[in-house]
Amino acid sequence: MDFEKFCRENCVERRGTGTLKWDSLQEIFGDADLLPLWVADMEIQSPAAVREALTKRVEHGVFGYGKVEDSYYDAFFAWQKKHHGIDLVKENVRFATGVVGSLYTAIRAYTKENASIIICPPVYYPFYDAILNTGRKLVTCDLDNNKGHYSLNLDKFEKEISDNNVEMFILCSPHNPVCRVWSEEELNAMLDICHRHGVLVVSDEIHQDFTYGEIPFISSAIVKGGKYRDMLIILNSGSKTFNLAGLIHSHVIIYDRKLMETYDAYIKSIGSPEVNLLGVTGMEAAFRNGEEWFENVKSLICHNYNYMKLEFAKELPDVVVTPLEGTYLSWLDLRSYVPEKETASFIQNKCRLACDVGEWFSFTGHGFIRINLATDTKNIRTAVESIVTNIKAL
């Protein structure tokens, strides 16, 4: 694949287009003149089939209330079956405006204030917000870090659940930001502990399509033939897969009838949201005709990751680059070169980069940064060169 050609033809200028990633740098970082490699969306245009479907819908000119047609279910179900071996029917699926919003919904629908909810840092920071902002008790079980490879200490996990009377576990699968794709054995061990302690599991699987290497993504829904379906709320979307986050459309998947009844009752109590007409249109087109585009994007992500890994190995061998098993995010440990508490300032003020920093994902995350790899290779090259140059100047 000619990566330079792909970037020329598919990567676009986003600054000045009202986009969070590029146009909120002043508000978020206090500095508008940074190279943004933070929030998880792309500089890559969405598939041509998506843009064509949206153009056709816009040209129709009417944007009234929408509904989800059978054709959408067919496309979404076919994608899930082909890529992940997941069987779905309409009764299993509800629609929402995004995975983060659905985290809040699940917490409020299935737990009461002061209920204990466990997460495994370093982990996507809205997990913290969803727990704390709803008045629940945050319980953490930090992942073990072995030279950049992360794992869960099951004994510690079970003890935290037992000691804190935990009612819900928010699982990140694949795990953001540490790039882990949990094996079926690992997932079974986590879910079995939750099953024995009566813990409901909310599984954020939004990065499910981004896997690399030998470990395939296994949805919690199919672990051990679906053994744990009666305790699962699964959240996913094509928004990461096809760069459609701004279309505000996601899925809530629930197999258990009673859990679905509870979910529906809660949604009814707050006013059932309508689906996003353009979100449904764009995502159906993506599931139906976006596969070739997606495979090219995955190749670009791997290319960017391999470039970064090789450059650091050559120039700064003690930078720990976490193996990229899943997501399109690179997790870097700079502690061998930069004092932990100075990393955020170093990356922003010296390297001139806007990155997610480790303390956003963990109370003990100082010294780490997360870099978004789903971008033009020239941006990754600029970032790596800046980090190398400025570390060598310390």
Side-chain angles (χ1 to χ4, degrees):
M1 178 177 170
D2 186 335
F3 295 105
E4 290 189 6
K5 181 174 184 289
F6 181 83
C7 289
R8 284 197 308 272
E9 294 177 351
N10 294 277
C11 294
V12 295
E13 174 61 56
R14 299 184 65 197
R15 195 185 297 272
T17 62
T19 179
L20 176 70
K21 185 176 183 180
W22 288 80
D23 296 325
S24 293
L25 294 173
Q26 185 65 46
E27 295 94 318
I28 306 271
F29 294 91
D31 189 339
D33 190 27
L34 302 171
L35 174 62
L37 295 166
W38 63 298
V39 67
D41 66 9
M42 311 179 188
E43 280 58 66
I44 306 163
Q45 288 186 321
S46 293
V50 171
R51 289 178 274 135
E52 291 165 5
L54 290 173
T55 298
K56 182 178 179 180
R57 189 80 217 198
V58 169
E59 288 176 345
H60 179 255
V62 177
F63 308 103
Y65 296 114
K67 70 183 293 285
V68 180
E69 302 280 9
D70 286 345
S71 59
Y72 181 93
Y73 289 102
D74 292 343
F76 175 48
F77 292 174
W79 181 276
Q80 291 294 312
K81 180 64 175 178
K82 177 179 180 180
H83 291 270
H84 308 300
I86 300 170
D87 291 306
L88 290 166
V89 296
K90 288 183 183 180
E91 289 73 22
N92 302 143
V93 182
R94 298 293 185 266
F95 300 99
T97 57
V99 165
V100 171
S102 294
L103 286 174
Y104 282 78
T105 297
I107 288 169
R108 290 188 171 118
Y110 297 104
T111 70
K112 298 184 183 302
E113 285 193 22
N114 300 314
S116 294
I117 301 176
I118 193 168
I119 59 176
C120 296
V123 72
Y124 184 47
Y125 39 88
F127 285 17
Y128 293 87
D129 298 336
I131 296 167
L132 297 174
N133 291 343
T134 55
R136 274 58 174 178
K137 177 184 175 183
L138 173 67
V139 180
T140 61
C141 179
D142 284 24
L143 299 176
D144 290 342
N145 177 9
N146 181 16
K147 299 179 181 178
H149 180 82
Y150 287 79
S151 60
L152 178 61
N153 182 317
L154 295 169
D155 291 335
K156 184 168 66 173
F157 180 62
E158 184 163 19
K159 186 176 189 302
E160 291 291 349
I161 287 175
S162 179
D163 288 352
N164 292 282
N165 194 27
V166 165
E167 297 181 26
M168 178 180 285
F169 169 41
I170 305 179
L171 168 65
C172 198
S173 179
H175 197 102
N176 169 18
V178 302
C179 315
R180 275 304 317 274
V181 176
W182 304 112
S183 68
E184 183 169 13
E185 181 181 6
E186 288 172 311
L187 288 168
N188 181 59
M190 296 178 203
L191 296 173
D192 181 63
I193 290 170
C194 291
H195 182 263
R196 287 190 278 107
H197 289 271
V199 175
L200 186 68
V201 178
V202 179
S203 187
D204 173 359
E205 301 183 359
I206 196 169
H207 286 279
Q208 62 180 22
D209 293 309
F210 292 97
T211 60
Y212 320 87
E214 298 179 358
I215 304 175
F217 168 76
I218 303 292
S219 172
S220 299
I222 61 172
V223 171
K224 297 300 178 182
K227 177 180 178 182
Y228 302 103
R229 286 183 176 182
D230 64 351
M231 48 178 272
L232 287 172
I233 313 296
I234 295 171
L235 310 178
N236 72 22
S237 176
S239 59
K240 292 287 185 262
T241 306
F242 302 108
N243 201 26
L244 301 174
L247 292 185
I248 313 298
H249 179 71
S250 68
H251 314 111
V252 179
I253 297 171
I254 303 172
Y255 288 90
D256 182 78
R257 180 178 58 82
K258 290 184 178 179
L259 287 179
M260 185 64 88
E261 288 175 354
T262 299
Y263 179 85
D264 287 342
Y266 177 77
I267 291 296
K268 184 177 180 180
S269 76
I270 61 172
S272 179
E274 304 292 339
V275 293
N276 183 325
L277 180 67
L278 295 182
V280 172
T281 299
M283 214 164 284
E284 178 183 337
F287 285 128
R288 194 173 299 282
N289 296 304
E291 185 164 3
E292 181 180 357
W293 174 94
F294 175 66
E295 291 302 326
N296 286 333
V297 169
K298 277 184 64 175
S299 295
L300 177 64
I301 292 163
C302 287
H303 173 71
N304 288 344
Y305 169 76
N306 288 330
Y307 165 79
M308 173 182 286
K309 184 177 179 181
L310 289 172
E311 283 298 303
F312 282 135
K314 180 174 66 175
E315 302 290 343
L316 299 172
D318 291 326
V319 168
V320 180
V321 181
T322 292
L324 184 64
E325 296 177 0
T327 80
Y328 54 78
L329 308 160
S330 187
W331 185 241
L332 307 180
D333 181 352
L334 305 180
R335 291 177 299 173
S336 292
Y337 297 102
V338 184
E340 293 181 18
K341 295 296 179 69
E342 298 177 17
T343 302
S345 175
F346 171 79
I347 286 296
Q348 179 169 328
N349 298 324
K350 295 292 187 181
C351 301
R352 308 301 297 155
L353 306 175
C355 298
D356 301 79
V357 292
E359 52 266 39
W360 293 6
F361 302 92
S362 170
F363 298 132
T364 59
H366 296 277
F368 295 81
I369 62 170
R370 190 189 78 171
I371 288 182
N372 184 341
L373 296 166
T375 189
D376 195 316
T377 300
K378 68 182 182 183
N379 292 331
I380 300 300
R381 188 177 298 115
T382 296
V384 171
E385 289 174 356
S386 182
I387 293 171
V388 168
T389 298
N390 283 285
I391 284 180
K392 287 186 174 182
L394 290 175

